[in-house]
């Protein structure tokens, strides 16, 4: 018994090592792939001119004239004359005097000893200018990330760590493989479908291991992806929205001219990716519920398990409608405030490029999520009964 | 005897006929110089003009002959009294990135000739050619730089086809209409400032070529000098942009994207113009360029910077990441060299800012005022489309804090600036009914 659990333990550790090594190998490959994709920088400087962002430290604030805005709390405007030293890059060690301007675009109040990110703009060997880009935000973001990881592992234990590995996989897939594929002119429809399938499989398998729960949630999510793909293709065509009607289209077209990127299909990819998380979410919830019910009462048949899955799914669906509206209101809060002040007519609001895209995205996401429920409940019930009867 | 004479007469008639045919062919050929895209840029100062055009041959050096209209008698070009100027010719090249598109072979040559020693307020006749073959007789008029006016247009972007009937022809018609209404209203204007995105297509040479033809199509541009800046739609065919224009004091070192498209400056009257290629990410490069130009022209009363990418405007591009960077990085340079007015495009809408200093409107300025004396900040103008090929909506419903006046009538517009010593007045007109959109004057004393 004791010996058995020990081998199980060492087996577990070995499989962990395999997973981590495989993931590290994958990330290294992804980074390498990314490094070999040509990036077209629209505004790259030529000749001797170049722009770098480097670390710098405030040696002294020599003079300042600051105004606290009476009406807008916390907004300080004015300027500071500061002595700074660049501490990284080709001009590391250079000490220079700069003016830190505080206005509506940039407002970083500096004090002696502050570390900040400097915009170092070089015209040629003899001439360069330095300005404040921002305070160094990396430590703050790092702290936030650390708290997140600690909470994830503290509450989630091993499973928390596994979901973290899933996140690493998803993130590196998007940044180092998916985006470079788009740059290489790969169809965004194809690339996002493949990326979605890989991300879903890896994250859900990492989370649930090779179990019926994992397989049924993967199958459910695949069904969801297929539904959102169909909806995206149909409704983007009906509403005549595409990558060409997004606000960034002009710049994207400039890049497309030099790289072959398929701008029109990009909107499809945004539909697919933004729904993916919610689809995984509802799939794992329903699959997990079915697996718990099945474990608690192994004698239950397929119909009873399906019904249990549907019941859990219906509850989640109930809050899903609200979630979608809240997510839309949350991310578009500023835009909604501005639309409100404009007293725009319903025709104008409903037919603007931006809002049509937002609404179409939210509604088709909702539709895909709702239709995922019966799909995942069906697969989970089938796999659940097969397992108990075996 | 008689037969012999008859024979000689036949020979004589034959010879005369041959000579006549040859001479008329030569006369026809002399008029038959083939060229395209002829345009004139302002010279380094008011006494010079810079000519550029494309030809299909580089066999001989390009020439411009200029004569005062008063010296002209009859129809033939007064060659004897004309002054000749010889320039340079070079093979046109372009960077064509996209392997998917069929690459177009370039068989054009870029001709650039600088004409100097022009007197003020004179009607001139000129012709361009290669010394053997010539164009027909064309004309331009110089003006008095002590009190002068010039036009401004934002992005003509011929071929954008975003509004109205979606054809290059309709864009071209809008552009020709703007030029003809502007020159009819202000026949004494010295030149036109065109703030980038003269053409639209990013990377298909044949398409861009037809857009250049459309841009140069108004006949008035054979007389009215045009100072262009390089926009994001112009520079993506690489060095192709630079071959079209003969820009004075062009820097091969600062503000370059592809080598022949750097910053340039010129002086007209008491105004020093900095024509910046804002496609270059580096702003330090413009800093050095402006510093050097100021050092060479300390006497200029007014300093005007022209660039494509508007840093303070209200429409579509307002929150683009690259524009946000420019909003942070350009104004300190403009303030360092005490620039008075900044003229910009890119946003296909009209915006005039309050006088701006250190990223904020100067305190205590009435936004409704139509004039200001000795402002303690820089006024930034953004100009709407000169052709009507594309318009952008406001990014936000309420005007930005920097904004004193904004207009989006979705009608082509142009501006006329009059510079009379201490007074710099910008008036902006919509071309459909020629009504005034905005008038603002700055006095410096």
């Amino acid at each position: 018994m004791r010996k058995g659990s020990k081998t199980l333990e060492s087996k577990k550790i070995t499989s962990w090592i395999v997973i981590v090594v495989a993931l590290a190998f994958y990330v290294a490959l992804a980074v390498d792939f990314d490094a070999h994709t040509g990036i077209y920088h629209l505004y790259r400087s030529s000749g001797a001119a170049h722009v770098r962002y480097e670390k710098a430290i405030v040696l002294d604030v020599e003079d300042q004239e600051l105004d606290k805005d009476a009406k807008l709390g916390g907004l300080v405007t004015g300027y500071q004359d500061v002595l700074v030293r660049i501490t990284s890059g080709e001009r590391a060690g250079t000490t220079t005097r700069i003016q830190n301007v505080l206005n509506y675009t940039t407002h970083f109040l500096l004090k002696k000893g502050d570390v900040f990110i400097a915009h170092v703009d070089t015209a040629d060997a003899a001439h360069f200018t330095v300005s404040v880009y921002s305070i160094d935000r990396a430590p703050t973001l790092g702290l936030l990330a650390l708290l997140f990881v600690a909470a994830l592992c503290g509450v989630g234990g091993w499973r928390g760590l596994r979901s973290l590995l899933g996140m690493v996989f998803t993130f590196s897939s998007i940044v180092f493989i998916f985006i470079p594929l788009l740059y290489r002119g790969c169809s965004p429809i194809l690339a996002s479908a493949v990326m979605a399938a890989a991300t879903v499989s890896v994250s859900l398998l990492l989370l649930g291991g090779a179990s019926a729960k994992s397989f049924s949630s993967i199958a459910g999510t695949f069904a969801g992806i297929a539904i959102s793909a169909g909806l995206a293709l149909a409704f983007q065509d009906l509403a005549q929205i595409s990558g060409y009607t997004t606000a960034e289209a002009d710049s994207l077209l400039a890049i497309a001219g030099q790289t072959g990127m398929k701008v029109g299909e990009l909107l499809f990819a945004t539909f697919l990716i933004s729904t993916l998380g919610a689809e995984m979410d509802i799939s794992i919830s329903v699959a997990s519920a079915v697996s718990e019910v099945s474990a608690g009462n192994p004698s239950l048949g397929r119909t009873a398990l399906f019904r249990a899955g549907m019941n859990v799914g219906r509850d989640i669906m109930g809050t899903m409608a609200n979630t979608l509206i809240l997510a839309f209101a949350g991310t578009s809060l500023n835009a909604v405030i501005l639309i409100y002040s404009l007293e725009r007519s319903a025709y104008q609001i409903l037919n603007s490029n931006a809002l049509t895209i937002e609404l179409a995205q939210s509604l088709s996401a909702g539709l895909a999520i709702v239709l995922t429920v019966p799909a995942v409940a069906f697969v989970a019930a089938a796999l659940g009964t097969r397992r108990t009867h075996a | 005897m008689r037969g012999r004479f008859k024979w000689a007469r036949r020979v004589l008639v034959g010879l005369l006929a041959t000579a006549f045919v040859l001479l008329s062919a030569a006369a026809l050929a002399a008029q038959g110089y083939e060229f395209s895209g002829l345009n004139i840029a302002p010279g380094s100062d008011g006494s010079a003009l810079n000519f550029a055009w494309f030809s299909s041959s580089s066999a001989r050096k390009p020439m411009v002959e200029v004569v005062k209209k008063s010296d002209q008698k009859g129809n033939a070009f007064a060659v004897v009294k004309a002054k000749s100027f010889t320039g340079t010719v070079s093979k046109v090249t372009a960077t064509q990135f996209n392997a998917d598109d069929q690459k177009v072979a370039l068989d054009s040559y870029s001709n650039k000739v600088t004409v100097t020693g022009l007197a003020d307020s004179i009607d001139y006749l000129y012709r361009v050619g290669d010394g053997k073959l010539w164009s027909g007789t064309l004309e331009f008029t110089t003006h008095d730089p002590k009190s002068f006016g010039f036009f401004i247009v934002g992005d003509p972007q011929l071929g954008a086809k975003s509004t109205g009937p979606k054809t290059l022809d309709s864009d071209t018609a809008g552009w020709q209409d703007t030029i003809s209404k502007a020159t009819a209203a202000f026949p004494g204007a010295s030149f036109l400032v065109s703030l980038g995105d003269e053409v639209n297509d990013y990377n298909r040479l044949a398409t861009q070529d037809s857009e250049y033809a459309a841009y140069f199509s108004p006949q008035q541009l054979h007389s009215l000098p045009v100072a262009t800046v390089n926009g994001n739609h112009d520079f993506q065919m690489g060095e192709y942009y630079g071959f079209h224009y003969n820009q004075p004091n062009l820097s091969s070192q600062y503000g370059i994207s592809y080598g022949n498209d750097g910053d340039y400056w010129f002086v007209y009257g008491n105004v020093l113009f900095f024509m910046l290629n804002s496609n270059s990410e580096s702003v330090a490069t413009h800093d050095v360029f402006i510093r050097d130009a100021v050092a060479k022209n300390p006497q200029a009363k007014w300093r005007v910077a022209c660039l494509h990418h508007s840093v303070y405007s209200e429409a579509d591009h307002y929150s683009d990441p690259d524009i946000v960077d420019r909003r942070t990085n350009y104004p300190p340079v403009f303030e360092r060299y005490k620039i008075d007015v900044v003229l910009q495009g890119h946003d296909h809408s009209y915006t005039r800012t309050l006088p701006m200093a250190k990223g904020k409107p100067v305190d205590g300025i009435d936004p409704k005022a139509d004039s200001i004396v000795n402002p303690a900040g820089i006024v930034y103008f953004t100009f709407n489309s000169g052709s009507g090929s594309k318009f952008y909506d406001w990014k936000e419903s309420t005007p930005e804090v920097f904004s004193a006046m904004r207009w989006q009538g979705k009608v082509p517009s142009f501006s006329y600036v009059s510079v009379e010593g201490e007074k710099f007045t910008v008036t902006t007109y919509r071309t459909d009914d020629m009504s005034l959109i905005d008038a603002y004057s700055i006095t410096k004393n």
Side-chain angles (χ1 to χ4, degrees):
Chain A
M1 194 70 185
R2 214 189 151 96
K3 201 181 166 193
S5 75
K6 207 172 189 177
T7 29
L8 205 68
E9 190 85 331
S10 63
K11 230 180 179 176
K12 206 173 173 185
I13 289 170
T14 319
S15 68
W16 265 104
I17 290 170
V18 169
I19 289 172
V20 170
V21 168
L23 190 63
F25 184 65
Y26 166 77
V27 171
L29 275 182
V31 170
D32 187 58
F33 176 70
D34 173 56
H36 291 103
T37 297
I39 289 176
Y40 174 65
H41 179 355
L42 193 54
Y43 297 122
R44 197 192 305 266
S45 305
S46 15
H50 58 271
V51 173
R52 300 275 183 276
Y53 291 84
E54 304 292 354
K55 272 194 167 184
I57 185 166
V58 178
L59 299 176
D60 194 19
V61 178
E62 295 178 330
D63 188 22
Q64 61 181 24
E65 204 179 296
L66 299 171
D67 241 353
K68 269 205 177 121
D69 196 294
K71 270 193 282 183
L72 307 168
L75 181 65
V76 177
T77 58
Y79 68 92
Q80 298 179 300
D81 289 324
V82 285
L83 186 68
V84 303
R85 187 169 65 229
I86 300 167
T87 58
S88 74
E90 58 180 0
R91 296 197 189 271
T94 306
T95 301
T96 179
R97 269 184 185 79
I98 64 170
Q99 190 162 71
N100 175 35
V101 177
L102 290 91
N103 54 40
Y104 308 118
T105 322
T106 58
H107 14 226
F108 305 108
L109 195 57
L110 297 178
K111 57 181 190 306
K112 195 174 169 175
D114 275 356
V115 174
F116 68 96
I117 302 302
H119 170 97
V120 183
D121 188 340
T122 301
D124 54 29
H127 304 99
F128 69 100
T129 59
V130 178
S131 59
V132 179
Y133 179 68
S134 119
I135 55 159
D136 188 5
R137 285 156 165 162
T140 315
L141 289 177
L143 178 68
L144 198 58
L146 207 67
L147 286 174
F148 171 70
V149 170
L152 196 66
C153 296
V155 177
W158 281 112
R159 238 182 283 178
L161 195 63
R162 281 192 238 169
S163 54
L164 184 68
L165 290 178
M167 272 178 58
V168 172
F169 179 83
T170 306
F171 182 78
S172 51
S173 302
I174 291 177
V175 175
F176 301 123
I177 295 185
F178 179 59
I179 307 276
L181 276 178
L182 300 183
Y183 258 84
R184 289 177 180 212
C186 177
S187 152
I189 294 179
L190 191 70
S192 57
V194 170
M195 208 228 32
T199 311
V200 167
S201 309
V202 170
S203 344
L204 291 177
L205 279 174
L206 270 172
L207 198 64
S211 63
K213 184 171 73 178
S214 298
F215 290 128
S216 47
S217 56
I218 289 170
T221 314
F222 277 14
I225 294 171
I227 294 163
S228 24
L231 287 171
L233 286 176
F235 281 88
Q236 289 185 8
D237 198 40
L238 285 174
Q240 294 194 20
I241 47 175
S242 73
Y244 299 123
T245 62
T246 59
E248 299 83 5
D250 195 36
S251 302
L252 288 173
L253 282 173
I255 297 169
Q258 318 289 341
T259 60
M261 186 188 281
K262 310 258 188 304
V263 177
E265 289 182 16
L266 280 179
L267 192 66
F268 174 90
T270 67
F271 270 51
L272 212 62
I273 293 169
S274 59
T275 343
L276 197 55
E279 275 157 5
M280 277 202 268
D281 203 12
I282 198 153
S283 292
I284 192 73
S285 308
V286 172
S288 181
V290 171
S291 121
E292 289 296 322
V293 170
S294 163
N297 189 353
S299 63
L300 279 180
R302 190 180 289 186
T303 320
L305 285 180
F306 178 73
R307 212 169 276 153
M310 283 301 287
N311 278 331
V312 172
R314 282 197 191 102
D315 284 344
I316 302 173
M317 262 158 43
T319 55
M320 196 63 80
N322 258 320
T323 308
L324 286 170
I325 294 300
L326 289 174
F328 166 68
T331 50
S332 331
L333 184 61
N334 294 352
V336 171
I337 290 174
L338 293 170
I339 289 172
Y340 199 83
S341 82
L342 259 180
E343 300 178 354
R344 283 191 169 167
S345 75
Y347 281 142
Q348 192 184 1
I349 293 175
L350 283 175
N351 292 294
S352 74
N353 277 336
L355 208 86
T356 306
I357 289 174
E358 284 288 339
L359 282 178
Q361 197 158 352
S362 296
L363 292 174
S364 61
L367 200 51
I369 287 158
V370 168
L371 294 179
T372 303
V373 173
V376 69
F378 180 80
V379 179
L383 289 178
T385 46
R386 187 185 300 169
R387 198 162 189 218
T388 32
H389 295 313
Chain B
M1 192 73 176
R2 217 181 145 153
R4 272 223 310 253
F5 269 122
K6 202 175 178 181
W7 182 81
R9 211 167 61 191
R10 272 185 196 157
V11 170
L12 201 63
V13 168
L15 276 173
L16 278 172
T18 315
F20 179 77
V21 167
L22 281 175
L23 276 171
S24 10
L28 274 175
Q31 292 288 319
Y33 182 60
E34 279 181 30
F35 63 99
S36 63
L38 173 65
N39 69 95
I40 316 170
S44 185
D45 62 30
S47 71
L49 284 175
N50 290 15
F51 292 74
W53 67 89
F54 276 16
S55 65
S56 54
S57 161
S58 64
R60 278 177 288 272
K61 286 203 164 162
M63 289 178 74
V64 175
E65 287 191 334
V66 180
V67 66
K68 284 184 184 171
K69 200 172 183 177
S70 55
D71 289 340
Q72 172 90 0
K73 305 278 185 285
N75 286 329
F77 191 80
V79 181
V80 184
K81 294 204 169 168
K83 270 192 187 172
S84 292
F85 299 87
T86 307
T88 57
V89 59
S90 48
K91 180 102 172 76
V92 172
T93 58
T95 308
Q96 298 178 72
F97 289 93
N98 199 337
D100 295 348
D101 290 326
Q102 203 182 350
K103 292 192 177 169
V104 177
L106 278 164
D107 52 3
S108 299
Y109 295 86
S110 161
N111 301 271
K112 299 187 181 189
V113 178
T114 300
V115 169
T116 55
L118 299 169
D120 296 344
S121 307
I122 300 285
D123 292 332
Y124 284 97
L125 301 176
Y126 76 98
R127 59 180 189 174
V128 303
D130 61 3
K132 203 163 187 183
L133 299 179
W134 294 98
S135 69
T137 303
L138 300 159
E139 44 190 291
F140 65 82
T141 302
T142 57
H143 302 278
D144 180 10
K146 282 194 272 308
S147 170
F148 72 101
F150 67 94
F151 297 120
I152 308 169
V153 289
D155 312 43
Q157 207 174 329
L158 291 150
K161 306 180 238 178
S162 294
T163 1
K166 295 174 186 298
T167 64
L168 175 59
D169 286 348
S170 66
D171 292 357
T172 312
W175 173 234
Q176 290 174 345
D177 183 59
T178 299
I179 295 300
S180 100
K181 281 180 175 155
T183 49
F186 301 97
S190 295
F191 54 88
L192 163 72
V193 168
S194 179
L195 288 163
D197 284 2
E198 280 78 34
V199 294
N200 177 67
D201 199 88
Y202 281 125
N203 44 56
R204 280 163 298 180
L205 195 61
T207 312
Q208 209 183 64
D209 208 37
S210 63
E211 293 164 356
Y212 270 114
Y215 179 69
F216 294 127
S217 70
Q219 287 305 302
Q220 293 89 340
L221 297 186
H222 290 161
S223 307
L224 180 72
V226 184
T228 59
V229 294
N230 198 347
N232 55 304
H233 281 264
D234 304 309
F235 87 122
Q236 303 217 24
M237 294 291 313
E239 56 278 26
Y240 194 54
Y241 166 84
F243 283 116
H244 288 85
Y245 307 104
N246 181 9
Q247 294 161 331
N249 307 303
L250 182 70
S251 176
S252 58
Q253 201 178 355
Y254 300 117
I256 54 169
S257 292
Y258 289 93
N260 63 352
D261 53 4
D263 296 346
Y264 68 100
W265 62 262
F266 65 95
V267 173
Y268 197 89
N270 56 357
V271 186
L272 170 57
F273 290 87
F274 310 94
M275 310 301 287
L276 308 176
N277 172 19
S278 55
N279 290 315
S280 167
E281 188 188 26
S282 166
V283 180
T285 192
H286 306 306
D287 186 313
V288 183
F289 173 80
I290 294 172
R291 191 199 61 182
D292 292 353
V294 166
K296 282 177 192 142
N297 302 282
Q299 79 293 346
K301 182 179 178 70
W302 295 93
R303 292 174 187 169
V304 175
C306 304
L307 69 159
H308 177 64
H309 295 89
S310 174
V311 300
Y312 290 116
S313 75
E314 296 227 51
D316 218 44
H317 289 302
Y318 168 73
S319 52
D320 290 359
D322 61 291
I323 294 297
V324 173
D325 284 349
R326 286 187 181 88
R327 195 173 302 137
T328 313
N329 298 323
Y330 274 93
V333 175
F334 295 151
E335 286 167 25
R336 187 170 304 138
Y337 299 105
K338 300 192 166 47
I339 279 163
D340 301 290
V341 178
V342 179
L343 311 176
Q344 317 158 102
H346 193 50
D347 228 7
H348 301 245
S349 55
Y350 179 82
T351 306
R352 168 169 55 80
T353 69
L354 292 158
M356 301 290 292
K358 297 194 192 302
K360 283 199 304 176
V362 173
D363 284 339
I365 306 282
D366 175 12
K368 292 195 181 70
D370 61 1
S371 64
I372 192 162
V373 179
N374 298 327
I378 301 171
V379 181
Y380 294 77
F381 289 86
T382 304
F383 297 92
N384 209 332
S385 167
S387 71
S389 69
K390 180 156 74 172
F391 301 104
Y392 285 139
D393 288 323
W394 304 127
K395 193 77 181 178
E396 286 166 16
S397 55
T398 48
E400 300 297 332
V401 285
F402 54 71
S403 188
M405 200 281 175
R406 65 180 196 173
W407 176 81
Q408 178 52 285
K410 305 207 169 170
V411 168
S413 58
F414 72 91
S415 298
Y416 177 75
V417 179
S418 80
V419 186
E420 286 155 19
E422 295 182 338
K423 202 169 176 191
F424 189 100
T425 307
V426 183
T427 48
T428 301
Y429 299 86
R430 51 188 293 162
T431 55
D432 56 347
D433 58 5
M434 286 299 284
S435 60
L436 189 68
I437 295 163
D438 187 35
Y440 190 75
S441 68
I442 304 169
T443 303
K444 250 175 82 171
N445 48 35

